[in-house]
Amino acid sequence: YHVLTPKGVISNINIQWCKVLGYTEQEVIGRTIFEFIQPSEQATSRASFDLKISTKKLTASQYERTFVSKNGRLKTFSVSDYITVDVHGNVTSVQTTLEDISERIKTEHHLRDNEERYRLLFENSGEAILLTLESGKILSANPAACKMFERTEEELCTVSRSMLADTRYPRLASALEERARTGKFSGELTLLRGNGIPFPAHVSTTRFANSRGEIKTSMIISDLTERNRI
């Protein structure tokens, strides 16, 4: 919790904020808040602050700001602030609440990086990859899967994964039971191309929950047709 003057000078400070950034209270009081903000955000921050003062925007607003700690590390805070005025309508202070969200931002960046790596692997893998819902609906198919099943991704996403398997193959029932019981399966099954022709394949499936708790299944499929001809 900060209290700033209408010029952005810090008159009261949350000691925890000081600790996060590595400053003492004495090093902060009397300096402007803008001095501690990442240089690339300082102009925007000052302009936003001045606009709030000039328009006397009383209601709280929330935004993110990146601060520079004493040792040079960047820390991201969620900021909520609102102005106070006296009986004559003159701005007396800006009261600011800050929450350190650096770890959350780091996690979000990590997830985005992982998603990008997965996307590249998904699109460029030589093996067929399907992503499906627990219900069996196919969400996405990589180019190798489209080639293997001789269908476009749009066509594959209109069918259930169960429609890709040859139900006459006796191993299918035990494979489904194993996946339901353990959340995964790895073994040989007989699958069907778009024209209905069966072909042998090695299928590895894994059931997992994404960051939103949704249960999905990834399937990695290798065509064994050429191997079985040898």
Short mmCIF file of all heavy atoms in Angstrom, two decimals, residues 191-214:
data_model
loop_
_atom_site.label_atom_id
_atom_site.label_comp_id
_atom_site.label_asym_id
_atom_site.label_seq_id
_atom_site.Cartn_x
_atom_site.Cartn_y
_atom_site.Cartn_z
N LEU A 191 -6.15 -49.91 -37.34
CA LEU A 191 -6.89 -48.68 -37.56
C LEU A 191 -7.41 -48.63 -38.99
O LEU A 191 -7.12 -49.52 -39.80
CB LEU A 191 -5.99 -47.46 -37.28
CG LEU A 191 -5.33 -47.42 -35.89
CD1 LEU A 191 -4.49 -46.17 -35.74
CD2 LEU A 191 -6.38 -47.52 -34.78
N LEU A 192 -8.19 -47.60 -39.30
CA LEU A 192 -8.84 -47.50 -40.61
C LEU A 192 -8.46 -46.19 -41.29
O LEU A 192 -8.54 -45.12 -40.69
CB LEU A 192 -10.36 -47.56 -40.46
CG LEU A 192 -10.94 -48.83 -39.82
CD1 LEU A 192 -12.43 -48.64 -39.55
CD2 LEU A 192 -10.69 -50.03 -40.73
N ARG A 193 -8.08 -46.28 -42.55
CA ARG A 193 -7.83 -45.08 -43.33
C ARG A 193 -9.16 -44.49 -43.76
O ARG A 193 -10.23 -45.07 -43.55
CB ARG A 193 -6.94 -45.39 -44.53
CG ARG A 193 -5.60 -46.02 -44.16
CD ARG A 193 -4.60 -45.93 -45.28
NE ARG A 193 -3.47 -46.83 -45.06
CZ ARG A 193 -2.43 -46.57 -44.29
NH1 ARG A 193 -2.37 -45.42 -43.64
NH2 ARG A 193 -1.45 -47.45 -44.15
N GLY A 194 -9.10 -43.32 -44.39
CA GLY A 194 -10.32 -42.63 -44.78
C GLY A 194 -11.18 -43.43 -45.74
O GLY A 194 -12.41 -43.29 -45.75
N ASN A 195 -10.55 -44.30 -46.53
CA ASN A 195 -11.31 -45.13 -47.47
C ASN A 195 -11.78 -46.44 -46.86
O ASN A 195 -12.32 -47.32 -47.56
CB ASN A 195 -10.47 -45.40 -48.73
CG ASN A 195 -9.12 -46.05 -48.38
OD1 ASN A 195 -8.90 -46.49 -47.24
ND2 ASN A 195 -8.22 -46.09 -49.35
N GLY A 196 -11.57 -46.60 -45.54
CA GLY A 196 -12.03 -47.80 -44.86
C GLY A 196 -11.06 -48.95 -44.85
O GLY A 196 -11.34 -50.01 -44.27
N ILE A 197 -9.92 -48.80 -45.49
CA ILE A 197 -8.93 -49.87 -45.54
C ILE A 197 -8.19 -49.95 -44.20
O ILE A 197 -7.67 -48.94 -43.72
CB ILE A 197 -7.93 -49.65 -46.68
CG1 ILE A 197 -8.66 -49.72 -48.02
CG2 ILE A 197 -6.79 -50.66 -46.62
CD1 ILE A 197 -7.77 -49.45 -49.21
N PRO A 198 -8.12 -51.14 -43.59
CA PRO A 198 -7.44 -51.28 -42.31
C PRO A 198 -5.92 -51.30 -42.48
O PRO A 198 -5.40 -51.69 -43.52
CB PRO A 198 -7.95 -52.62 -41.78
CG PRO A 198 -8.31 -53.40 -43.01
CD PRO A 198 -8.79 -52.40 -44.00
N PHE A 199 -5.22 -50.87 -41.42
CA PHE A 199 -3.76 -50.94 -41.44
C PHE A 199 -3.26 -51.11 -40.01
O PHE A 199 -3.89 -50.63 -39.05
CB PHE A 199 -3.15 -49.69 -42.09
CG PHE A 199 -3.33 -48.43 -41.30
CD1 PHE A 199 -2.33 -47.94 -40.46
CD2 PHE A 199 -4.52 -47.70 -41.38
CE1 PHE A 199 -2.50 -46.76 -39.74
CE2 PHE A 199 -4.69 -46.52 -40.66
CZ PHE A 199 -3.68 -46.06 -39.83
N PRO A 200 -2.15 -51.81 -39.84
CA PRO A 200 -1.60 -52.01 -38.48
C PRO A 200 -0.87 -50.75 -38.01
O PRO A 200 -0.20 -50.07 -38.79
CB PRO A 200 -0.62 -53.17 -38.68
CG PRO A 200 -0.15 -53.01 -40.10
CD PRO A 200 -1.34 -52.49 -40.88
N ALA A 201 -1.01 -50.46 -36.72
CA ALA A 201 -0.36 -49.26 -36.17
C ALA A 201 0.00 -49.48 -34.72
O ALA A 201 -0.67 -50.23 -34.00
CB ALA A 201 -1.30 -48.06 -36.30
N HIS A 202 1.07 -48.81 -34.32
CA HIS A 202 1.40 -48.79 -32.90
C HIS A 202 0.82 -47.50 -32.33
O HIS A 202 1.08 -46.40 -32.85
CB HIS A 202 2.91 -48.83 -32.66
CG HIS A 202 3.27 -48.90 -31.20
ND1 HIS A 202 3.39 -47.77 -30.41
CD2 HIS A 202 3.52 -49.97 -30.39
CE1 HIS A 202 3.68 -48.14 -29.18
NE2 HIS A 202 3.78 -49.46 -29.14
N VAL A 203 0.03 -47.62 -31.26
CA VAL A 203 -0.68 -46.48 -30.68
C VAL A 203 -0.24 -46.29 -29.24
O VAL A 203 -0.27 -47.23 -28.44
CB VAL A 203 -2.21 -46.68 -30.75
CG1 VAL A 203 -2.92 -45.47 -30.15
CG2 VAL A 203 -2.66 -46.92 -32.18
N SER A 204 0.17 -45.07 -28.92
CA SER A 204 0.47 -44.72 -27.53
C SER A 204 -0.48 -43.59 -27.13
O SER A 204 -0.52 -42.54 -27.78
CB SER A 204 1.92 -44.23 -27.39
OG SER A 204 2.83 -45.28 -27.66
N THR A 205 -1.25 -43.82 -26.09
CA THR A 205 -2.19 -42.79 -25.63
C THR A 205 -1.89 -42.44 -24.17
O THR A 205 -1.50 -43.30 -23.38
CB THR A 205 -3.65 -43.26 -25.74
OG1 THR A 205 -3.91 -44.26 -24.74
CG2 THR A 205 -3.95 -43.85 -27.10
N THR A 206 -2.08 -41.19 -23.85
CA THR A 206 -1.90 -40.71 -22.48
C THR A 206 -3.01 -39.74 -22.14
O THR A 206 -3.27 -38.80 -22.90
CB THR A 206 -0.55 -40.01 -22.29
OG1 THR A 206 0.51 -40.91 -22.64
CG2 THR A 206 -0.37 -39.56 -20.85
N ARG A 207 -3.66 -39.97 -21.02
CA ARG A 207 -4.71 -39.07 -20.55
C ARG A 207 -4.09 -38.07 -19.58
O ARG A 207 -3.29 -38.44 -18.73
CB ARG A 207 -5.82 -39.87 -19.86
CG ARG A 207 -7.08 -39.05 -19.56
CD ARG A 207 -8.20 -39.98 -19.15
NE ARG A 207 -7.84 -40.80 -18.00
CZ ARG A 207 -8.45 -41.91 -17.64
NH1 ARG A 207 -9.46 -42.35 -18.36
NH2 ARG A 207 -8.07 -42.57 -16.58
N PHE A 208 -4.44 -36.79 -19.73
CA PHE A 208 -3.85 -35.75 -18.88
C PHE A 208 -4.85 -34.63 -18.66
O PHE A 208 -5.85 -34.51 -19.39
CB PHE A 208 -2.57 -35.20 -19.53
CG PHE A 208 -2.82 -34.47 -20.82
CD1 PHE A 208 -2.97 -33.09 -20.85
CD2 PHE A 208 -2.90 -35.17 -22.02
CE1 PHE A 208 -3.21 -32.42 -22.04
CE2 PHE A 208 -3.13 -34.51 -23.22
CZ PHE A 208 -3.29 -33.13 -23.23
N ALA A 209 -4.59 -33.82 -17.66
CA ALA A 209 -5.42 -32.64 -17.39
C ALA A 209 -4.62 -31.41 -17.77
O ALA A 209 -3.45 -31.29 -17.41
CB ALA A 209 -5.82 -32.58 -15.92
N ASN A 210 -5.23 -30.48 -18.50
CA ASN A 210 -4.53 -29.25 -18.86
C ASN A 210 -4.59 -28.25 -17.71
O ASN A 210 -5.08 -28.56 -16.62
CB ASN A 210 -5.10 -28.65 -20.16
CG ASN A 210 -6.54 -28.18 -20.01
OD1 ASN A 210 -7.10 -28.10 -18.92
ND2 ASN A 210 -7.16 -27.86 -21.12
N SER A 211 -4.09 -27.02 -17.93
CA SER A 211 -4.01 -26.02 -16.86
C SER A 211 -5.38 -25.61 -16.34
O SER A 211 -5.50 -25.07 -15.24
CB SER A 211 -3.25 -24.79 -17.36
OG SER A 211 -3.89 -24.23 -18.50
N ARG A 212 -6.45 -25.85 -17.13
CA ARG A 212 -7.81 -25.51 -16.69
C ARG A 212 -8.54 -26.71 -16.09
O ARG A 212 -9.72 -26.62 -15.79
CB ARG A 212 -8.61 -24.94 -17.87
CG ARG A 212 -8.08 -23.61 -18.36
CD ARG A 212 -8.95 -23.05 -19.48
NE ARG A 212 -8.93 -23.91 -20.65
CZ ARG A 212 -7.98 -23.84 -21.59
NH1 ARG A 212 -6.99 -22.98 -21.48
NH2 ARG A 212 -8.02 -24.64 -22.64
N GLY A 213 -7.83 -27.84 -15.95
CA GLY A 213 -8.43 -29.02 -15.35
C GLY A 213 -9.22 -29.87 -16.32
O GLY A 213 -9.86 -30.85 -15.92
N GLU A 214 -9.18 -29.55 -17.61
CA GLU A 214 -9.91 -30.33 -18.61
C GLU A 214 -9.14 -31.61 -18.92
O GLU A 214 -7.92 -31.58 -19.11
CB GLU A 214 -10.09 -29.52 -19.90
CG GLU A 214 -10.87 -28.23 -19.72
CD GLU A 214 -10.77 -27.33 -20.93
OE1 GLU A 214 -9.71 -27.30 -21.58
OE2 GLU A 214 -11.76 -26.64 -21.23
#
